[in-house]
Amino acid sequence: MSTRLFGARIKRNIDPQLLRGEGSFIDDIPLAQALHVAFVRSPFARARINSIDISAAVAHPGVAAVYTCDNVGPLDIEMPLLIPHSSMHDARTQRPLARDDVYYVGQTVAMVVAVDRYTAEDAAALVDVDYDPRDVEIDLEKAILDDAPLVHDTHERNVAAHFVQVCGYPDSAIAQAEHVTKIRVQVDRSTAAPMECRAVAAQFDEVTGELTVWDGTQAPISVRGGLASIFKLDEDKVRVIAPNVGGGFGQKVLLFYPDELLVPMAAMQLGRPVKYIEDRRENFVGSSQERTQIHFMELYAKKTGEVIALRDSFLHDTGAFIPYGIAVAQVASTSIAGPYRIPNIWVEFKAIYTPTVPVTPYRGCGRPQACFAIERAMDQLADELGLDRFEIRRRNLIADHEFPYDREGLIFADGLKVSLDSGQYHKALAMMEERLDAPSFAAEQAKARAEGKHLGLGLAFYVEGTGLGPYEGGHVRIHPITGKVYVNTGLTSQGQGHDTVFAQIAADQLGVKPEDVILVEGDTKAFDWGVATFASRAAVVSGNAIHKSAMIVKRKALQAAANMLEADVGDVELKDGAAWIKGTDRKVPLSAVATATNPLRYAFNEAAQAATQFAPASRHDGPSLDEGEHPGLEATDYYSPPCATWAYGVHGALIEVDPELCSVTIRKYVCIHDCGNMINPMIVEGQVMGGIAQGLGGAMYERIEFDETGNMLNANFVDFLVPYATEIPDVEIHHLETPSPLNALGVKGVGEAGCIAVGAVVASGVEDALKALGGGTFRHTPITPSMIHAALDAA
Amino acid sequence: MKPSLFDYVAPRSVDEAISLLKEDSGAMILAGGQSLIPAMNMRLASPSRLIDIQNIPGLAHITVGNGKIAVGAMARHREVELHDGAAAANPVLRAALGHVAHIPIRNRGTVVGSLCHADAAAEMPMILVLTGGSVLVAGSDGRREIAAQDFFQFHMTTSRQPDEMVVEAQFPVLPPGAGFAFEEFTRRHGDYAIAAAGCILTRNGAGAVATVALAACGVSSKPLRLFAAEQILAGTRLTAADIKAAGDAACAVVTAPGDMHATAGYRKHLFASLVRRAVEKAAARAQ
Ligand SMILES: Cc1cc2nc3c(=O)[nH]c(=O)nc-3n(C[C@H](O)[C@H](O)[C@H](O)COP(=O)(O)OP(=O)(O)OC[C@H]3O[C@@H](n4cnc5c(N)ncnc54)[C@H](O)[C@@H]3O)c2cc1C
């Protein structure tokens, strides 16, 4: 093979189509005579429903049906708890349509189906719901007090889960500490804000009995499983397709949003296609959010700065329900010691119900909070011990020879051990020191101060357990007519570029151009074994599965071609779309090999005619297909990771704060990161850059604001400040590539990496910049101008 | 986020538009639609009828003469921003327009629409107040001119009568030798101002302040002239103490309550520094 495609900066196959506006998102799919859905949503954070009167809505012209919990049959249920865990009791999940009680503003109470969305909204306004509002407590720290109003009567002090994990012997280590640093940090609630909101459309074919659902989900296979079981349909009769999807970031993998069940139900009952296109306000009040955690952390250290034990106790806001179990809090608690050796850990969390939109993983999934806690604590420890911030980290980072570094006793979100498998943490830190010219920063800072400018250096290290199991599959087939390679996997794409990186992996094995590899995913008819796109797992899990399948196909192709060319298999190689006898010009096109391996020989195309010029592809006597032999060049294989593989990185920035405007300007932002072997550095950089932009959103702009009655005050893009391109600084990205020892491709995930450290970097830089003004500490994100003003005012 | 039912009419003359307005008290004028359409989609506004003035001839003009820049009701933000004659006559317009939303929105939104919408944090109403401009209003009894000070009443409320339409805004040209400045702070580029200050200032031969106008948006329920601060600066040589005093005095007008983007205390602190910066910049530009 000429050059290896793995590792090459290949342009994304999907971009021309998306950039020309030729993508096909759910609302673009033409469905004849489709009906449209609007929801009646609770205006109260907590209320008892006395009655629901739908008569006026039913009578409204153009309305096909109005549903409440009373007429949804099998859907009048509490939806599933996805990941049970012993730390929860009686875990509460939402009903598709509320029965008796509502638990957050925005919860779905009734569904109107009408000829168009306008009419549906008009009719929804006519549904008369009589509520009896209850007291609520939105503040996380007050929600756990004895007299706090309860979200669920079943859960005292609103505690949904309580869990303690221990690694090493924290008690005895604490006794030997020479210094302790204590810190409280808080990260506020945000939301993924995907450009395309969620959407579901469904069509039921009376003749075949097939239900087709287009769902902007990250998990079509699981959605299909759920629909089939709830509606008691054969899985083969349910097809779930996730077409082009405009961003997901975790929000699109809840299982189930009410609409994902109700829309297919309505399509089956009403005999017409039904569409629900979520609008932006609904995305704010109805689709999952994440982030609020308050950590109380203690680091126990030697005078040298070596941290020998860590205690962390944190509150995790899970919103009104806990459908995803403790996943977010568990990821936070197992990432809490970051890249540091810290051999003794005691970490506890309480997941708290609040009468707000339910919380499920959003890009980062607890890691930004954990990173914020440990990194801010490290900065404080350095400060208290009079050490440089780089130095304190150097003294605690895991050394290269210490990998794999196990945190015995901590169980990651996949139920497997925490084992940091590989890395070059010290080298990454040294690179950052050099890129920021850290040794001369103090002088630069002093000089700027003399000119009335306030510069700070921000620094944070992160680790990320990626590539979670249990498994994914890959199906690879060489097409007999065109010789093109078709690849399927059980994932979906929301813009990550799967089609390109998976093409690179398959093309390397099969000697074809990456544009001749066609990936079809996100369709249960194409491939229906697998999990979903989340947890920075696509490249690791599906990537390795596709790699394995492609190797099998390669082996088959080589053997068949060797037979056809009457050569020794060792002398045959695949390149440029053909099998060649090495060092000669004798070759057979892959299309002909693929055709010849299918004993059905109608010579109705060129590939078949070409195939006839060669010897048979299979050398055996008896029936056309030998025992155990399969027709064609095709294989399916699976990859199941032994445990997560840990990526990491360090971010640093030079930040200027203007104490008059209380504004923050990032003068320089550097990211050193390591996601193992890179399949496509350009796509890696895109992921990292996007993550950093999203991280800056969380660090400085985005916060869901609730008033004290639980009403969301900024459920729109006017007041929920997603940063624009104009707010995002240039970012310098440097790669390290430490291969993961856990999988054949040596890859680690990168999807979430970018966002993890940003909050800690900005806080550390702002704090440093304002130190000379007595600006105090910054331990709460997002850092807003008002917070900077308050800090300076108190100085 | 779909509007409720409405009728749509596209009159061909101002008179027709006015009689349509008079006919139906629930009717609203549609200009560039950049404020009205989102409000309708969120059902914050539910007009019974939209009177689209896009097709009325003679409303899209931008003319400079008689000491003023006349901006027709259908002149888009972006056209005014890029109009070299207008920029030469009074550069503070272009300076402020660069802060109004983003280019695609400025391509559709109109300056007059912005004045009629009268958001208390919007830039162009403040520029009308700063420059001492006015609007020309047409009603069934003919036309009248309303001075900026009298036009803006409250957040999203003007003294335009329901059956009147604004046909033109008039911004006086910059006085000879004057310096100008527009200073704004937003959390994101292109957002409405958390606070903004504008200044137009002339100096006499000795370098002292001869005339000064200061105005603000985002700090109160409507755009304001900062008379107290102006008085402090008048006749001074703009020492640091003078400028600081003006900034401090300007703070007294800040009545906007704290909100999710700015606490009341922060907005005051911010505003004082914007006023100082505006004065300094305008002074440096004055001849
Ligand atoms: C994302 C976004 C960001 C924005 N950011 C800013 C910003 O930073 N600063 C800012 O100032 N604005 C901002 N805007 C608003 C923008 O400037 C609008 O264009 C402007 O406020 C209204 O102008 P329009 O022509 O679009 O008016 P329309 O939306 O058509 O109308 C606005 C109102 O004025 C009335 N009206 C319009 N013309 C007349 C007339 N001739 N006579 C009587 N009544 C009339 C209408 O009936 C309506 O009530 C933003 C808008 C968007 C969508």
Side-chain angles (χ1 to χ4, degrees), chain A residues 362-418:
Chain A
Y362 155 42
R363 192 183 205 172
C365 183
R367 300 175 186 92
Q369 299 94 314
C371 176
F372 193 63
I374 180 69
E375 290 302 285
R376 298 279 47 225
M378 277 294 186
D379 279 1
Q380 180 173 312
L381 178 64
D383 195 45
E384 287 169 2
L385 295 178
L387 287 171
D388 173 72
R389 283 176 289 165
F390 285 90
E391 186 56 29
I392 192 91
R393 287 174 170 82
R394 243 187 319 268
R395 292 186 188 179
N396 286 286
L397 285 177
I398 297 165
D400 297 4
H401 68 268
E402 290 171 301
F403 291 108
Y405 193 86
D406 291 355
R407 297 205 192 278
E408 214 72 59
L410 302 191
I411 301 294
F412 200 51
D414 53 5
L416 301 170
K417 65 177 177 174
V418 174

Side-chain angles (χ1 to χ4, degrees), chain A residues 25-236:
Chain A
F25 297 82
I26 288 178
D27 208 14
D28 299 322
I29 291 165
L31 292 172
Q33 298 268 300
L35 295 166
H36 296 258
V37 162
F39 285 98
V40 177
R41 293 173 181 276
S42 170
F44 294 104
R46 185 72 182 85
R48 187 92 189 150
I49 298 176
N50 294 327
S51 62
I52 306 176
D53 180 358
I54 59 170
S55 53
V58 171
H60 191 73
V63 170
V66 180
Y67 295 97
T68 67
C69 61
D70 286 331
N71 59 349
V72 291
L75 296 188
D76 185 26
I77 45 164
E78 285 195 0
M79 284 189 279
L81 169 66
L82 295 175
I83 313 174
H85 192 269
S86 60
S87 64
M88 297 180 287
H89 76 89
D90 192 15
R92 302 303 304 270
T93 60
Q94 188 178 333
R95 291 170 170 275
L97 294 174
R99 169 171 290 286
D100 300 333
D101 288 277
V102 284
Y103 298 89
Y104 63 95
V105 173
Q107 185 177 346
T108 45
V109 174
M111 177 172 87
V112 177
V113 189
V115 289
D116 55 48
R117 172 77 187 225
Y118 297 82
T119 308
E121 286 192 22
D122 290 343
L126 298 174
V127 173
D128 187 8
V129 187
D130 181 21
Y131 295 99
D132 186 3
R134 298 287 167 90
D135 288 343
V136 296
E137 182 53 69
I138 299 296
D139 185 304
L140 198 53
E141 283 170 299
K142 292 185 188 148
I144 54 166
L145 299 179
D146 282 341
D147 55 352
L150 297 182
V151 179
H152 302 284
D153 294 337
T154 41
H155 288 75
E156 274 179 39
R157 292 188 296 283
N158 293 305
V159 176
H162 181 203
F163 194 44
V164 178
Q165 296 198 71
V166 178
C167 169
Y169 303 92
D171 290 341
S172 49
I174 284 167
Q176 290 159 29
E178 295 162 0
H179 183 88
V180 49
T181 197
K182 297 187 181 189
I183 191 170
R184 174 195 184 280
V185 304
Q186 178 169 346
V187 175
D188 284 341
R189 187 184 279 225
S190 188
T191 185
M195 273 304 116
E196 185 200 14
C197 297
R198 294 188 316 95
V200 184
Q203 175 168 290
F204 185 67
D205 185 327
E206 299 277 356
V207 178
T208 61
E210 273 181 1
L211 173 68
T212 305
V213 178
W214 293 265
D215 186 341
T217 178
Q218 298 172 229
I221 297 171
S222 307
V223 170
R224 184 193 64 172
L227 290 171
S229 16
I230 290 172
F231 296 120
K232 302 205 180 342
L233 297 169
D234 192 322
E235 280 205 339
D236 274 8

Side-chain angles (χ1 to χ4, degrees), chain B residues 25 32-33 36 44 49 78 93 105 113 140 145 147 149 152 157 167 178 189 195 199 203 225 236 244 262:
Chain B
S25 62
L36 183 53
L44 298 171
R49 174 186 279 187
R78 186 71 173 156
L93 268 66
I105 291 158
S140 24
E145 199 179 309
Q149 287 288 355
F152 301 107
T157 313
V167 290
H189 184 89
C199 180
R203 309 180 87 155
R225 271 288 284 274
T236 69
K244 179 171 185 309

